[in-house]
Amino acid sequence: MSIPENLQRGNFGSRLGFILAAAGSAIGLGNIWRFPYTAGQNGGGAFVLVYLACVILIGIPVMLGELSIGRATQRNPVGAFRVLAPGSAWPLVGALGVITGFGILAFYSVVAGWTVGYLYKAFMGQFGGDVTAEQSAAIFTEMIASPSAALLLTAIFLLLTVLVVRRGVSGGIEAAARVLMPVFFVLLLVLTLRAISLPGAMEGVRFMIDFDFSKITGAVAMSALGQALFSLSLGMGAMITFGSYLPRREGLAFSGVSVVFSDTLIALLAGFMIFPALFATGGDPTAGPGLVFVTMPTIFHSLPAGQLFGVAFYALLGIAALTSTISLLEVVVAYLVDQRNWNRNMACWVVGGLCFVLAVPSALGNGASNFWSGGEGSWLAMDFLSLQNIIWGNYSLSIGAILICLFVGWRWRVRASLEEIQTNGEPVPMFGLYGPLIRFICPLAVAAVLVFIIVTRQYF
Ligand code: TRP
């Protein structure tokens, strides 16, 4: 297929550069913030087990499906479906992805803003001394409940995202991810080793690996599935967009599986860092979205040069979040640039600005405004941020994943997708499983989870 002039696009410089950038999209707050608190709320080991099953059985096929759609068409999600299924309703799946990317970015940037706030606190030495679990919780609650802090931090983060995405793919995204992702991994490893060696930490390790099957409910399955898709940046076309920037030289299987593997490794490391630290300091695993922010400051002081570790941790967490927000904004911008002929710079500023507007209720819903904070007796069952997290992160991604599987398996066809994955005959181990997984097992499993929670009314 020849690519029209106006759709010639930036390319990744190398396979490693691509893997690091796609892993940069996948690895983010989903691994360090969302995975541990969701695992904590859903019973620990039982959740982890279902999560791992979802990553392998659903994550890998959907990852390869999305990458192959993107690279075959070299287009944004809407354009990609338009090329492969002209005159059909399939481009609406791409449109759902663009909307979902916008929705995720609007709450994600609030949490990403918290990391900037914590970077400042760590830098100012607020976690230098012996911070108890109660003190740590108070610091967090105070910060997120301050309207000026919440709004300012969100705005700072969206601004950073816009500034990178303006510069296009290989200049900004690839260059940043290349250096910073490996540094982040090493830091995480050090902090995990420290957490595991704390007195009382083994209870936390046990929490992560205690596979109690009786704890698996519909809600646990839904959370694990949503978490797997969210963490791997799947179900909304982010990986279609990434695939579209890949040159035609190499196969996709190695790259796709490397991204899945590294993302999962980082999530598990985060779990083995946070739960041991939490149990060692007597915290509550079901604490919810504040879990990482409250837990980590209680262990920095037990390390030599603790303040330095604190600063490095929040700096790198912020950067990991940035490589993810970049990919979310990139999906929306790529759509406007390719399909609507917008200028990239303008698209970045307009989408960034609108996103801030939608982020305001999420930023204010953590104590600053009763109206958006939800809870007992309120018009909202939960705070606005948690609600957005569930709507876009669990439901919308699951529906998107089903549709992408059905598209690859039944409309575009498995053979065409496999040909793209195995460019140059790259050998793909177990490739015979790809067809049955993407045609039957993945869509049926995701649909079963959705139907089950609707029937049993375990929506949240
Ligand atoms: N995967 C990222 C994380 O774990 C978040 C993210 C970036 C994302 N792009 C996405 C999630 C696209 C879903 C879809 O932090």
Side-chain angles (χ1 to χ4, degrees), residues 34 96 100 104 226 229-231 233-236 391-402 446:
R34 201 182 192 265
L96 174 70
T100 306
I104 293 177
L229 295 171
F230 186 93
S231 191
S233 301
L234 295 175
M236 49 83 52
I391 292 176
W392 303 113
N394 288 354
Y395 288 98
S396 193
L397 293 180
S398 303
I399 293 167
I402 296 182
V446 180

Side-chain angles (χ1 to χ4, degrees), residues 24-31 100-101 104 108 227 229-238 263 320-321 323-325 327-328 331 397:
S25 161
I27 297 166
L29 296 170
N31 306 59
T100 306
I104 293 177
Y108 198 93
Q227 177 57 28
L229 295 171
F230 186 93
S231 191
L232 294 169
S233 301
L234 295 175
M236 49 83 52
D263 182 75
T323 53
S324 300
T325 53
S327 79
L328 289 162
V331 173
L397 293 180

Side-chain angles (χ1 to χ4, degrees), residues 82-120:
R82 224 170 252 169
V83 171
L84 295 178
S88 71
W90 284 106
L92 289 176
V93 178
L96 174 70
V98 172
I99 295 168
T100 306
F102 186 81
I104 293 177
L105 185 57
F107 76 81
Y108 198 93
S109 50
V110 173
V111 182
W114 298 347
T115 67
V116 178
Y118 263 60
L119 174 61
Y120 175 78

Side-chain angles (χ1 to χ4, degrees), residues 164-313:
V164 179
V165 176
R166 270 178 71 215
R167 297 182 48 196
V169 182
S170 60
I173 305 180
E174 185 172 354
R178 237 170 202 276
V179 187
L180 295 165
M181 297 321 291
V183 180
F184 186 56
F185 180 74
V186 173
L187 182 82
L188 217 52
L189 207 57
V190 173
L191 288 171
T192 305
L193 291 176
R194 168 74 269 208
I196 291 186
S197 60
L198 290 168
M202 276 311 128
E203 210 187 320
V205 174
R206 229 170 287 130
F207 183 76
M208 279 279 292
I209 57 176
D210 146 46
F211 299 137
D212 179 352
F213 286 96
S214 67
K215 287 194 193 148
I216 301 176
T217 63
V220 170
M222 183 69 221
S223 309
L225 171 67
Q227 177 57 28
L229 295 171
F230 186 93
S231 191
L232 294 169
S233 301
L234 295 175
M236 49 83 52
M239 290 298 161
I240 296 182
T241 309
F242 267 101
S244 77
Y245 296 123
L246 268 179
R248 276 247 158 58
R249 269 169 288 154
E250 284 147 300
L252 298 170
F254 179 80
S255 301
V257 172
S258 304
V259 173
V260 172
F261 182 79
S262 47
D263 182 75
T264 308
L265 187 68
I266 299 268
L268 293 176
L269 258 186
F272 284 114
M273 169 179 80
I274 284 161
F275 290 111
L278 182 80
F279 282 90
T281 54
D284 169 17
T286 62
L291 190 66
V292 193
F293 290 94
V294 174
T295 306
M296 291 311 290
T298 61
I299 70 160
F300 292 136
H301 66 85
S302 71
L303 282 153
Q307 185 177 356
L308 192 68
F309 272 96
V311 171
F313 179 73

Side-chain angles (χ1 to χ4, degrees), residues 429-451:
M430 297 190 287
F431 73 93
L433 289 178
Y434 181 65
L437 279 169
I438 207 141
R439 299 184 82 179
F440 302 104
I441 296 173
C442 300
L444 283 175
V446 180
V449 175
L450 281 173
V451 168

